[in-house]
Amino acid sequence: MSSAHVVDHPLVQHKLTLMRDKRRSTKGFRQLLNEIGMLLCYEVTRDLPLEMVDVETPLETTKAPMIAGKKLVFAPILRAGVGFLDGMLELVPSARVAHIGLYRNPETLEAVEYYFKAPADVAERLVIVMDPMLATANSAIAAIDRLKGRGVRDIRFVCLLAAPEGVERLNKAHPDVGIWTASIDERLNDHGYIVPGLGDAGDRMFGTK
Ligand code: PRP
Ligand code: URA
């Protein structure tokens, strides 16, 4: 069985259950996704390297830790990945942002790219790709293929829900990319939806259904 970091923090699990509820309003759904984004950001950045720097406190000069290296890049997969972005930027306000526009062809479930814009020096940075749903993994794989095509070597993937099939496929296509998720659900249905899941994340976030 393929691997992923499942974030089982009670706050994450509680908020995810609220989001699964089909009666949750668009506003509530968006707000919860933003809050969970912040909590998942905390987990996915847990092992970032630190360096000791000089700092002058009101009492004396000392050495203290700061995150080493270049600023992170957050890469939301449009549309629904945007729901994580504000929460993540609240924790890491200096991060750069790469937008990756993809939609699933409803018949073939293949990912179709319609937009890509990343910082010029993206290859030198850690990129955290974000999308609430990892279903077939076609979107995640296409996004990561695109980033690797730009020379990016250090990539992590964050989602809210994953299907076991999606975790397996992403691990196989990109074994170097760690996955963080709040849940690995039971399965995919015949239409490529995660079951029990929460439905269509983009539609629920933006009220388009
Ligand atoms: C949804 C979701 C993911 C993708 C996951 O996007 O936000 O991007 O499906 O499915 P996959 O793992 O099978 O590729 P959708 O294509 O519905 O676009 P949207 O975010 O614009 O609604
Ligand atoms: N995309 C979604 O928004 N939901 C799913 O369950 C699968 C793909």
Side-chain angles (χ1 to χ4, degrees):
M1 175 62 195
S2 309
S3 65
H5 306 263
V6 177
V7 179
D8 59 0
H9 191 290
L11 283 175
V12 172
Q13 295 303 315
H14 179 89
K15 288 175 193 293
L16 171 57
T17 301
L18 295 178
M19 291 184 76
R20 288 186 194 272
D21 187 339
K22 67 179 187 185
R23 295 165 303 178
R24 188 70 42 214
S25 68
T26 300
K27 178 174 169 230
F29 189 90
R30 209 165 38 226
Q31 187 173 332
L32 286 159
L33 191 57
N34 185 62
E35 290 167 6
I36 296 185
M38 210 179 298
L39 296 164
L40 293 179
C41 182
Y42 184 79
E43 291 295 333
V44 74
T45 55
R46 182 180 277 282
D47 66 348
L48 290 189
L50 295 169
E51 63 184 349
M52 300 306 280
V53 300
D54 291 326
V55 59
E56 221 175 301
T57 79
L59 302 179
E60 64 174 19
T61 299
T62 185
K63 288 207 177 287
M66 283 191 79
I67 293 173
K70 282 192 168 258
K71 306 274 186 285
L72 305 185
V73 174
F74 290 145
I77 298 179
L78 309 182
R79 288 176 300 173
V82 167
F84 275 149
L85 185 61
D86 283 350
M88 300 234 183
L89 282 172
E90 264 191 61
L91 282 197
V92 189
S94 59
R96 311 305 193 229
V97 179
H99 290 90
I100 305 175
L102 292 171
Y103 70 88
R104 286 201 315 180
N105 176 316
E107 269 91 49
T108 65
L109 302 183
E110 291 301 318
V112 182
E113 182 180 311
Y114 58 89
Y115 189 76
F116 182 86
K117 182 83 180 175
D121 61 354
V122 68
E124 296 158 38
R125 300 172 186 269
L126 164 62
V127 179
I128 297 179
V129 179
M130 56 190 77
D131 190 327
M133 313 305 274
L134 180 66
T136 63
N138 286 341
S139 305
I141 292 169
I144 293 166
D145 283 346
R146 190 68 155 86
L147 288 163
K148 287 189 174 175
R150 284 282 302 268
V152 183
R153 282 152 294 139
D154 200 1
I155 301 174
R156 298 177 184 196
F157 183 81
V158 179
C159 60
L160 181 63
L161 287 187
E165 297 91 328
V167 173
E168 188 106 17
R169 285 197 67 228
L170 181 52
N171 274 165
K172 198 162 171 200
H174 294 292
D176 56 309
V177 174
I179 303 171
W180 278 257
T181 183
S183 174
I184 301 178
D185 274 14
E186 275 169 34
R187 62 187 165 86
L188 284 182
N189 71 11
D190 293 344
H191 305 286
Y193 276 82
I194 299 172
V195 180
L198 51 69
D200 187 301
D203 282 343
R204 293 198 61 192
M205 233 184 95
F206 294 112
T208 43
K209 201 146 201 176

